[in-house]
Amino acid sequence: MYSLMSSPSISSSSSSFLGQTHFDSRNPNACLPTKDSWICKCVATPSTETTAHTTKVSRNANMAKLQAGYLFPEIARRRSAHMLKYPDAQVISLGIGDTTEPIPEVITSGMAKKAHALSTLEGYSGYGAEQGEKQLRAAIASTFYGDLSIEESDIFVSDGAKSDISRLQVMFGSNVTMAVQDPSYPAYVDLSVILGQTGQFQKDVEKYGNIEYMKCNPENGFFPDLSTVSRTDIIFFCSPYNPTGNAATREQLTRLVQFAKDNGSILVYDSGYAMYISDDSPRSIFEIPGAKEVAIEVSSFSKYAGFTGVRLGWTVVPKELLYSDGFPVAKDFNRIECTTFNAASNISQASGLACLSPEGLEAMHKLVGFYKENTNIIMETFTSLGFSVYGGKNAPYVWVHFPGQSSWDVFSEILEKTHVVTTPGSGFGPAGDGFIRVCAFSHRGNVLEACKRFKRLYK
Amino acid sequence: MGWALMGSNMLAWFRPCPKHWATDGSKRMGHSWSLGEHGRVICGAFVLKETGEKNIQGFGHVDPRFWITLICLPALFCHGTKVPRNINMERLRNGYLFSEICRRELEHTQKYPHAKLIKLGIGDTTEPIPDIITSAMAEHAHALSTIRGYRGYGAEQGNMELRNAIAQTFYRDMGIKANEVFVSDGAQCDISRIQMLLGSNVTVAVQDPSFPAYMDSSVIIGQSGNFKEETGKYENILYMNCGPESNFFPDLSNTPRTDIIFLCSPNNPTGHAASRQQLEQLVEFAKANGSIIIHDSAYAAYITDESPRSIFEIPGGREVAIEISSFSKFAGFTGVRLGWTVVPEELLYSNGFPVIKDYNRIVCTCFNGASSIAQAGGLACLSSDGYLAMNAVLDYYKENAKIIMDTFTSLGLKVHGGKNAPYMWVHFPGLRSWDVFNEILEKTHIITVPGTGFGPGGEGYIRVSAFGQRESVIEASRRLKNLLK
């Protein structure tokens, strides 16, 4: 019988499930519910193991390859455990990149308006196009890709980047090889494992077999040395980069597009933080000539409009992107959308449209500006304490170096001594060890207080 | 050598691309392309002969039938990646059924722009959502603009209050706990996530006919093997015939073992709700075979008799079944997007590992929670006032179903379903269902769904849905009586 993780029961966090131990704690004296023709016999069973029915369905071997839980529920779990341990502590969360500031009213009014309209005959709408509302697709195309020749029909609206990456992986299937940045957003690797693209996890190197990990560190300016990267079918690339916070330059992306072209690879480009860019770094892969023939771009309203709970994003699949047999990738993606998805919520989409109105855009920029100011404060703090600090300028993440130390140890120490939740770099990949990611999503007061505590700990 | 691409936007001459054209000028490959909607088609990179410019996009006029056979015209500098297309995607047949219905509807509208089209095809709800529910959603929207009311990421498994409410409302006496309920953005997405959970190495049985997503998602994930034209079936999927002779339920005595059994009850498309006895047999069958039942109960609210509303009403159901359901058809949430899946803790893989643990991992990795606004709406649906209000809308659709059933019955046609589901399954013996679909559409401007869209067992049947405004349903009945009397 499987032995299960046991941890204190926790109420509301996303990982609370992991903390519950119902499996082996079921009351051995429980009765079956009484039904007409059933006789209920209450017996004390010695243990559930001997009477539990197991199916004959084999567990998916790919699920068995996954190491522990997904990173962020684990962070949430530790946070909750810490709060139980220190019920009076003011825990500040700069870990999970979760937005905290209220959504501007110009946007939520659009949301509420749509909700009310659903109660009227004229305003009611049922199933929407799986690819998204035409108006919203057009607004996304013109707002973000105005002079890049990306059209409304290239845009697929979704319930967010994570779901999109999942659907892209389902579309690619198990017979493709993939490359990721190391460190990187954990969903790319985990989804690759689930879809059967990888080998087993190799504990000695902390990597899955059959994935090409493209190391990104201070030495290479957090951009992979492409001359050392083997060819893979798919390359996941995030810029501005989560977790290190830097944005790739035009020159770097031009080399990346060329690399993908030379290798016949498909680039899955995650640009969910593009609005945080402060300098001339490209905001879309499609700013690079030739990118339409090699790239898919995934983005999201989450970090621009505080839509982490509302759920809205999009993926661009250019018509020019073709498989080796000439078949257009967009056609398969469309089929995936129609079969495994049923469109983003119409209320979320209505609010997306409100986001892209002139007032909405202005409001979003203000919100982004607020978090950028948080980022500056955090960056200044760690810099003043003598740390090597990366990122921050073009993303809401600060990547702090703790040379020679295990990032989970640093995470635990910071949590224990300052009650501030961060994210350990190794959670994003082996090259993340020795780093801590501090996110800028919090109320200003919390950011200032957290920085005060960091100064106390590290002065 | 050059070819003209004639279109409303552009006329140009092109040079042949050596990648796609043999040196003797014969075509190496062609593409067909469907956008499913009006749009401009990019033909790929080509060279304009006169100017010698490279990699310029061209435009083509979209044929009214939405299919363009592109004789691949890219010129010398076209680029295709070296990424192999997923063979499972190649195995899919045509477009997804309901996208195909949409396409034909659009085509028909263009052909008869003045006809009043009545849509009894895709099961899309039409009646406004009761105020009590939309006000809750609007209130939540407003709250998101306040410091106290703002919420970011929710738990991927769903808001705990909602999970509790679902457990209490639908599974009160069945021992289903809130932590076994996973809130989602709808059944179609959940089916796909369940398939990701199960992986490609399981065998699957579906009812024939059945909701196409079970089959299509099975193909996509790699469980199905190839499609066999001669049988109209995928070689590795077990099709459990559900026709009138077996009372629209699989004949389990003749059903080989599979790992997974998809069962929808009340059934889409036949409208049949499995009896308690039938479900008991199924649970016993699954237990004896060590199989997992994926029970789709999205239409349970339409049941008017004693038929079970959940697989977990059946003793032993918890050890063999996962249940999916949805707010779509009882709350009008087809656009709002909210559903749930129940994975009981007792459900174990062959090695004893709890399925719920893996499902939780899938939900945390592939998904980021249903929209918080939809969830707020869901909670309002399950309040006592909300529930009452929803039942009024349900009654409205049930009355529609009755009208349609009576119509077909009065015409002497055998009609199944309707009593426990918003679908009527009408038999047209000896006729092909796409032909009947076309004739009904052409002559009465009513959209239905041809039975074969749901599997070869659907041949000779048409599915008519009860979702529509009363006047439309009455008008449709009138037109059908005229056509079929």
Side-chain angles (χ1 to χ4, degrees):
Chain A
M1 181 65 175
Y2 240 87
S3 79
L4 299 155
M5 259 164 53
S6 178
S7 41
S9 182
I10 295 154
S11 55
S12 61
S13 81
S14 65
S15 66
S16 63
F17 164 73
L18 288 169
Q20 289 167 0
T21 53
H22 293 284
F23 309 124
D24 53 3
S25 62
R26 207 168 56 184
N27 184 344
N29 293 317
C31 281
L32 289 171
T34 327
K35 291 287 176 182
D36 304 328
S37 54
W38 280 75
I39 296 163
C40 176
K41 241 208 281 188
C42 293
V43 293
T45 50
S47 81
T48 50
E49 282 91 330
T50 54
T51 55
H53 167 80
T54 59
T55 67
K56 291 186 189 132
V57 180
S58 305
R59 185 186 181 204
N60 182 349
N62 297 327
M63 296 300 295
K65 287 176 184 153
L66 286 169
Q67 299 300 299
Y70 188 60
L71 172 64
F72 297 112
E74 179 59 20
I75 303 292
R77 195 190 66 74
R78 295 205 187 200
R79 173 175 174 268
S80 299
H82 184 82
M83 283 167 76
L84 277 176
K85 190 175 169 191
Y86 299 100
D88 297 320
Q90 295 288 346
V91 173
I92 298 176
S93 298
L94 300 180
I96 295 168
D98 192 6
T99 46
T100 53
E101 300 312 288
I103 299 174
E105 254 179 54
V106 61
I107 295 164
T108 53
S109 323
M111 235 181 253
K113 194 163 155 217
K114 176 68 180 181
H116 284 305
L118 292 173
S119 278
T120 67
L121 267 170
E122 325 73 59
Y124 179 77
S125 58
Y127 284 120
E130 293 91 343
Q131 306 83 354
E133 303 292 326
K134 241 173 140 39
Q135 243 190 319
L136 178 59
R137 295 167 82 187
I140 291 170
S142 65
T143 306
F144 298 103
Y145 307 100
D147 42 2
L148 302 178
S149 313
I150 294 291
E151 300 177 329
E152 166 212 316
S153 50
D154 297 322
I155 311 273
F156 295 82
V157 178
S158 74
D159 63 320
K162 200 195 234 182
S163 308
D164 270 342
I165 291 163
S166 164
R167 283 187 283 268
L168 283 168
Q169 291 284 40
V170 169
M171 180 186 73
F172 290 133
S174 57
N175 278 339
V176 293
T177 52
M178 75 152 222
V180 287
Q181 291 157 296
D182 177 16
S184 73
Y185 179 55
Y188 310 144
V189 167
D190 285 8
L191 284 164
S192 188
V193 176
I194 290 171
L195 260 306
Q197 296 163 356
T198 76
Q200 294 290 344
F201 187 75
Q202 291 147 10
K203 277 208 137 64
D204 50 340
V205 290
E206 303 227 316
K207 296 181 179 183
Y208 286 94
N210 217 33
I211 295 185
E212 180 74 9
Y213 289 76
M214 306 184 294
K215 193 181 282 200
C216 294
N217 52 22
E219 295 73 52
N220 60 22
F222 297 102
F223 188 81
D225 177 1
L226 295 174
S227 66
T228 63
V229 176
S230 308
R231 183 203 174 269
T232 54
D233 293 307
I234 314 295
I235 304 169
F236 279 92
F237 199 87
C238 180
S239 178
Y241 191 2
N242 175 14
T244 71
N246 68 297
T249 64
R250 190 167 306 273
E251 185 268 329
Q252 285 170 332
L253 291 180
T254 305
R255 278 193 282 131
L256 183 66
V257 167
Q258 191 59 47
F259 179 76
K261 202 155 189 171
D262 293 342
N263 282 343
S265 307
I266 293 178
L267 199 52
V268 176
Y269 188 82
D270 186 341
S271 67
Y273 299 97
M275 266 175 89
Y276 286 80
I277 292 176
S278 307
D279 58 21
D280 282 328
S281 307
R283 282 144 174 78
S284 163
I285 192 66
F286 302 116
E287 289 186 37
I288 311 299
K292 286 210 270 181
E293 295 169 323
V294 302
I296 290 171
E297 183 161 296
V298 174
S299 195
S300 171
F301 283 86
S302 284
K303 308 297 162 66
Y304 303 160
F307 272 25
T308 40
V310 174
R311 308 311 314 148
L312 191 70
W314 70 89
T315 288
V316 182
V317 188
K319 297 174 186 70
E320 292 86 327
L321 188 66
L322 310 174
Y323 285 115
S324 57
D325 64 354
F327 195 86
V329 177
K331 218 176 156 201
D332 270 353
F333 192 65
N334 189 63
R335 186 62 150 97
I336 288 281
E337 296 288 272
C338 292
T339 311
T340 68
F341 187 49
N342 233 327
S345 175
N346 51 15
I347 301 172
S348 306
Q349 293 195 59
S351 41
L353 210 48
C355 286
L356 302 181
S357 67
E359 306 80 25
L361 275 168
E362 199 187 314
M364 283 202 302
H365 277 290
K366 233 168 121 180
L367 199 49
V368 167
F370 174 86
Y371 292 125
K372 282 163 76 92
E373 184 53 39
N374 281 353
T375 319
N376 286 340
I377 294 168
I378 296 166
M379 272 182 81
E380 274 163 22
T381 300
F382 279 101
T383 308
S384 74
L385 290 166
F387 287 99
S388 295
V389 180
Y390 305 96
K393 179 162 147 233
N394 288 321
Y397 298 119
V398 178
W399 191 237
V400 188
H401 199 191
F402 289 81
Q405 297 187 57
S406 138
S407 49
W408 275 109
D409 288 346
V410 178
F411 165 88
S412 298
E413 187 184 11
I414 292 177
L415 182 57
E416 187 66 28
K417 295 188 178 162
T418 68
H419 307 300
V420 177
V421 186
T422 57
T423 312
S426 55
F428 299 97
D433 207 9
F435 290 87
I436 286 288
R437 187 191 79 173
V438 187
C439 90
F441 296 115
S442 201
H443 299 318
R444 183 59 51 80
N446 286 340
V447 170
L448 292 168
E449 173 62 23
C451 288
K452 249 207 293 222
R453 298 180 194 178
F454 292 143
K455 283 179 172 151
R456 268 205 298 268
L457 177 63
Y458 289 116
K459 68 177 187 296
Chain B
M1 215 153 135
W3 295 264
L5 175 71
M6 306 269 281
S8 63
N9 298 337
M10 200 152 172
L11 172 65
W13 290 92
F14 311 100
R15 275 197 273 135
C17 163
K19 181 174 167 186
H20 295 91
W21 294 84
T23 47
D24 66 355
S26 61
K27 182 162 60 83
R28 274 201 180 118
M29 66 173 81
H31 306 294
S32 57
W33 176 272
S34 165
L35 289 176
E37 59 174 41
H38 266 298
R40 291 182 301 177
V41 177
I42 304 291
C43 317
F46 55 81
V47 175
L48 280 172
K49 195 174 178 186
E50 293 92 1
T51 65
E53 285 179 87
K54 300 167 198 167
N55 292 330
I56 296 169
Q57 293 156 6
F59 303 95
H61 178 65
V62 178
D63 183 283
R65 286 163 301 166
F66 297 106
W67 287 91
I68 289 187
T69 301
L70 289 181
I71 296 176
C72 184
L73 292 176
L76 215 51
F77 300 98
C78 72
H79 174 81
T81 67
K82 291 186 190 133
V83 180
R85 185 183 179 208
N86 182 351
I87 189 178
N88 296 327
M89 297 301 296
E90 275 184 61
R91 289 181 171 137
L92 283 170
R93 313 302 298 155
N94 304 315
Y96 188 56
L97 169 66
F98 300 110
S99 311
E100 179 61 20
I101 301 292
C102 270
R103 193 186 70 71
R104 295 209 185 199
E105 178 190 316
L106 209 46
E107 195 179 285
H108 186 81
T109 320
Q110 287 182 315
K111 191 173 168 192
Y112 299 100
H114 301 297
K116 185 172 175 258
L117 193 70
I118 298 179
K119 302 189 212 190
L120 300 178
I122 292 169
D124 193 7
T125 45
T126 54
E127 296 313 289
I129 298 172
D131 226 23
I132 184 176
I133 295 159
T134 54
S135 309
M137 293 198 281
E139 200 185 307
H140 178 81
H142 287 305
L144 291 173
S145 279
T146 66
I147 294 186
R148 285 176 63 98
Y150 178 75
R151 295 285 178 273
Y153 283 120
E156 294 91 338
Q157 305 85 349
N159 172 306
M160 205 51 179
E161 221 189 322
L162 178 58
R163 295 167 83 187
N164 258 315
I166 291 170
Q168 286 301 304
T169 307
F170 300 106
Y171 305 102
R172 188 187 297 272
D173 303 314
M174 298 172 223
I176 297 292
K177 300 184 286 296
N179 70 296
E180 293 169 316
V181 176
F182 294 82
V183 178
S184 75
D185 59 332
Q188 187 147 302
C189 310
D190 273 345
I191 289 162
S192 154
R193 281 187 280 265
I194 288 170
Q195 293 287 33
M196 286 181 77
L197 165 81
L198 297 170
S200 57
N201 279 341
V202 293
T203 52
V204 162
V206 295
Q207 290 166 286
D208 178 19
S210 76
F211 181 52
Y214 312 137
M215 185 120 59
D216 284 8
S217 62
S218 182
V219 177
I220 288 170
I221 212 79
Q223 297 159 353
S224 70
N226 288 315
F227 185 79
K228 296 292 186 202
E229 294 287 355
E230 54 275 20
T231 55
K233 298 180 178 182
Y234 287 95
E235 60 193 348
N236 289 346
I237 294 184
L238 181 71
Y239 291 69
M240 306 182 295
N241 191 261
C242 293
E245 53 300 325
S246 65
N247 200 15
F248 293 103
F249 197 79
D251 175 5
L252 296 175
S253 64
N254 272 328
T255 304
R257 181 196 177 276
T258 54
D259 292 310
I260 311 298
I261 304 167
F262 279 95
L263 192 104
C264 179
S265 177
N267 189 261
N268 173 13
T270 70
H272 172 78
S275 66
R276 188 165 305 274
Q277 191 194 35
Q278 284 172 329
L279 290 181
E280 281 169 356
Q281 279 172 1
L282 181 67
V283 165
E284 202 178 295
F285 179 77
K287 198 155 188 172
N289 282 342
S291 309
I292 297 177
I293 300 167
I294 314 289
H295 186 257
D296 186 343
S297 66
Y299 298 99
Y302 286 83
I303 292 176
T304 52
D305 61 15
E306 289 304 303
S307 307
R309 283 149 174 72
S310 164
I311 192 72
F312 303 118
E313 287 188 38
I314 311 299
R318 289 172 55 91
E319 293 172 316
V320 300
I322 289 173
E323 183 159 288
I324 54 184
S325 196
S326 169
F327 283 81
S328 285
K329 305 295 161 68
F330 69 77
F333 270 29
T334 40
V336 175
R337 308 308 316 146
L338 192 70
W340 73 87
T341 288
V342 178
V343 186
E345 288 166 348
E346 290 91 326
L347 188 64
L348 309 174
Y349 286 116
S350 56
N351 65 356
F353 193 85
V355 176
I356 192 174
K357 235 183 142 191
D358 271 353
Y359 192 67
N360 186 65
R361 185 56 149 99
I362 288 278
V363 160
C364 290
T365 312
C366 312
F367 186 50
N368 235 327
S371 173
S372 61
I373 302 148
Q375 294 196 59
L379 210 49
C381 286
L382 303 182
S383 67
S384 37
D385 289 339
Y387 203 68
L388 270 171
M390 280 197 318
N391 273 317
V393 180
L394 276 171
D395 287 341
Y396 183 90
Y397 293 130
K398 286 176 182 175
E399 184 57 36
N400 282 354
K402 193 168 177 308
I403 294 170
I404 297 169
M405 272 181 77
D406 289 345
T407 302
F408 282 107
T409 308
S410 72
L411 291 165
L413 289 161
K414 201 83 179 59
V415 187
H416 305 280
K419 179 162 149 235
N420 287 321
Y423 298 121
M424 278 60 64
W425 191 237
V426 189
H427 197 195
F428 290 85
L431 296 177
R432 290 164 49 87
S433 49
W434 275 109
D435 290 342
V436 180
F437 167 89
N438 285 331
E439 188 181 3
I440 291 177
L441 179 56
E442 188 68 26
K443 298 197 176 149
T444 67
H445 309 296
I446 298 172
I447 298 263
T448 57
V449 186
T452 37
F454 300 98
E459 185 65 288
Y461 288 86
I462 287 285
R463 187 192 83 173
V464 186
S465 96
F467 297 113
Q469 274 162 14
R470 185 61 50 78
E471 317 79 65
S472 301
V473 169
I474 292 171
E475 171 63 16
S477 294
R478 198 189 57 76
R479 296 184 196 176
L480 287 164
K481 278 176 175 157
N482 269 343
L483 174 69
L484 298 169
K485 66 175 185 292

